[in-house]
């Protein structure tokens, strides 16, 4: 069985409150979606504004493999704008539920059917693909829903979409609805679910099991109100749990999620399935022990981090076990006897009990103290001087003087703010080989003299990652210290192995 993927990140996803993608972001997202392998990209609503029109037109001309779709109401002016935008497919929609008809479009059922049929015929006469959505389908009287879909099918529509516009469907009811429509219609069926009750993915899945041929999704599930069904979740449920194929190259799911997270400014929680930071992270000793021996002991097994472009992480905390800590230390080149290990485990649990997140740096510092080998001289980078300039009339600029493997180096960089500039200057010390994959800053005391605590994760070219922390009253210096600490240990580990 094969299901097509219709991505609406650039249209419904952009309807997320406070999200608006500039055209260059939209182009980059469209290219990424194409690399990911989506079948259709809904690029925008050409009649909505000049900018939207330009976006759809520009994306239509990129020569992507995916079909490009433009949204339109069933009015000539909208459809003409979508046709002029050169989109391959025009997606038309009209409200069909009593509540929406009564309060918004105020037309009779007969008029709605007639206008819809005319719109489909007009698009088909122009040789374009046409998708028809009965908006608020899940609150529409079933007899009317069947009537309007049949009428547009007879008018040669290419695909019909069943939107759960306000997210009130439940999996069993949605399954029954799609099954009924599947039996009633010959055209392919698409499902479009909103997440008001957290059921968008479950409903989309139910729709597919009932015979839907295509799923409408957004990256990271962004969209109106609580959002739409998440592309990564829907695709992996189909691939991994049901063996249903799509054209998605799943190894790009995390990369795509991160791009949309950055461009939309909508941060995904760490416990987000598939793409979240913790999706393949293990903290408890029992789980970590199992996973180190055989990953599928405490992971689903039918999905691996590599399949989705993620990585597995063993995180240390108060639930950590001896086996996991010993393994991490041995991997980093430390030889630990049983007695030292007991002391190290105790100290880690103490930190965890104080509510502290235990970083890799904490683990290795504790190990070094216990093993009696705190090595300042082992540090690859020793920062000598940092200068940062910022203000309302200058571009934040940082200059860093440091010794890198005994060689004096001076690097500089500009950034969007002083921390960004400083971290870029630090990154220049070690070249392109390490990147900061996580950066989190908390104020741990109140007031303008608050202590800033910075957690970072840095990753080298072999995807080895290292977490570290630093604290201080100066946010720039705390950030630099945290990153330098992490880089020092990554380089130390590399020299030891
Ligand atoms: O949720 C919805 O009903 C929509 C339509 C435009 C398909 O986004
Ligand atoms: Zn929608």
């Amino acid at each position: 069985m094969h299901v097509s993927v219709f991505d609406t990140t650039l249209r419904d996803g952009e309807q997320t409150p406070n999200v608006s993608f500039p055209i260059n972001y939209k182009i980059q997202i469209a290219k990424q979606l194409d690399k990911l392998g989506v079948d259709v990209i809904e690029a925008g609503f050409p009649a909505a504004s000049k900018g939207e029109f330009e976006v759809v037109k520009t994306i239509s001309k990129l020569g992507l493999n995916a079909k490009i779709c433009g949204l339109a109401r069933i009015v000539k002016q909208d459809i003409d704008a979508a046709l002029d935008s050169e989109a391959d497919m025009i997606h038309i929609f009209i409200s069909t539920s009593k509540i929406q008809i009564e309060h918004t479009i105020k037309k009779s059922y007969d008029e709605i059917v007639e206008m819809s049929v005319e719109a489909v015929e007009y698009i088909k006469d122009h040789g374009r693909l046409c998708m028809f959505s009965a908006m608020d389908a899940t609150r529409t009287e079933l007899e009317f829903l069947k009537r309007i879909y049949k009428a547009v099918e007879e008018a040669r529509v290419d695909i019909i979409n069943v939107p759960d516009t306000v997210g009130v469907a439940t999996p069993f009811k949605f399954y029954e609805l799609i099954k009924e429509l599947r039996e009633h219609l010959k055209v392919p069926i698409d499902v479009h679910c909103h997440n008001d009750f957290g059921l968008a993915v479950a409903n989309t899945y139910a729709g597919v099991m009932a015979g839907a041929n295509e799923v409408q999704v957004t990256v990271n599930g962004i969209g109106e109100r609580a959002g739409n069904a998440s592309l990564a979740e829907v695709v992996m449920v189909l691939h991994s749990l049901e063996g249903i194929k799509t054209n998605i190259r799943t190894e790009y799911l995390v990369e795509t999620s991160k791009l949309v997270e950055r461009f939309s400014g909508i941060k995904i929680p760490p416990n987000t399935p598939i793409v979240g930071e913790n999706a393949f992270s293990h903290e408890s000793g029992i789980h970590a022990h199992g996973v180190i021996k055989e990953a599928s002991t405490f992971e689903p097994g039918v999905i691996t981090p590599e399949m989705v472009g993620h990585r597995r992480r063993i995180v240390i905390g108060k639930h950590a076990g001896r086996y996991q800590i010993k393994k991490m230390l041995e991997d980093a080149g430390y030889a630990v006897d049983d007695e030292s290990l007991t002391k190290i485990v105790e100290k880690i649990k103490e930190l965890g009990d104080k509510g502290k997140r235990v970083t890799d740096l904490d683990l290795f510092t504790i190990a070094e103290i216990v093993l009696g080998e705190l090595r300042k001289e082992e540090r690859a980078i020793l920062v000598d001087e940092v200068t940062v300039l910022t203000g309302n009339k200058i571009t934040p600029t940082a200059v860093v003087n440091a010794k890198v493997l005994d060689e004096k180096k001076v690097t500089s960089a500009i950034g969007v703010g002083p921390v960004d500039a400083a971290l870029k200057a630090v990154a220049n010390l070690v070249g392109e080989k390490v990147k900061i994959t996580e950066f989190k800053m908390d104020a741990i005391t109140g007031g303008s003299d608050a202590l800033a605590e910075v957690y970072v994760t840095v990753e080298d070219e072999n995807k080895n990652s290292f977490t570290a922390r630093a604290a201080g009253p100066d946010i720039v210096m705390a950030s630099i210290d945290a990153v330098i600490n992490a880089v020092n240990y990554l380089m130390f580990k590399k020299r030891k192995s």
Side-chain angles (χ1 to χ4, degrees), residues 145-207:
L145 197 61
K146 285 165 75 173
R147 178 182 158 201
I148 195 161
Y149 281 141
K150 195 67 184 175
V152 293
E153 177 174 271
E154 281 164 5
R156 294 172 291 141
V157 82
D158 296 284
I159 179 163
I160 59 120
N161 179 36
V162 186
D164 180 26
T165 304
V166 294
V168 288
T170 53
F172 288 113
K173 287 191 193 145
F174 200 60
Y175 179 93
E176 289 304 327
L177 173 65
I178 300 302
K179 193 159 160 259
E180 176 108 24
L181 292 172
R182 181 65 293 153
E183 281 160 13
H184 180 66
L185 300 164
K186 291 187 202 71
V187 279
I189 297 179
D190 190 340
V191 287
H192 173 113
C193 298
H194 278 273
N195 205 28
D196 298 68
F197 286 87
L199 290 173
V201 172
N203 288 333
T204 305
Y205 164 71

Side-chain angles (χ1 to χ4, degrees), residues 270-289:
N271 59 343
T272 304
I274 320 292
V275 293
E277 191 53 31
N278 291 350
F280 298 92
S281 297
H282 304 272
E283 200 247 11
S284 101
I286 298 167
H287 286 216
H289 187 167

Side-chain angles (χ1 to χ4, degrees), residues 17 49 51 98 130 134 155 161 167 187 200 232 289 356 368 429 437 447 464 495:
S49 70
K98 263 200 174 134
C130 179
N161 179 36
V187 279
H289 187 167
K356 288 275 175 206
E368 288 180 358
L429 287 174
T437 54
N464 294 311
R495 278 178 292 149

Side-chain angles (χ1 to χ4, degrees), residues 2-7 37-40 159 190 208 212-217 238 244-248:
H2 187 277
V3 164
S4 310
V5 176
F6 178 111
D7 181 276
V38 307
D39 301 277
V40 186
I159 179 163
D190 190 340
V208 169
N213 313 84
E214 184 165 274
V215 290
Q216 283 201 8
V217 287
L238 299 181
I244 296 172
K245 295 199 168 29
T246 67
N247 289 329
I248 296 298

Side-chain angles (χ1 to χ4, degrees), residues 11-12 15 163 165 192 194 224 228:
R11 198 278 299 168
D12 223 353
Q15 290 174 219
T165 304
H192 173 113
H194 278 273
E224 287 269 0
N228 292 53

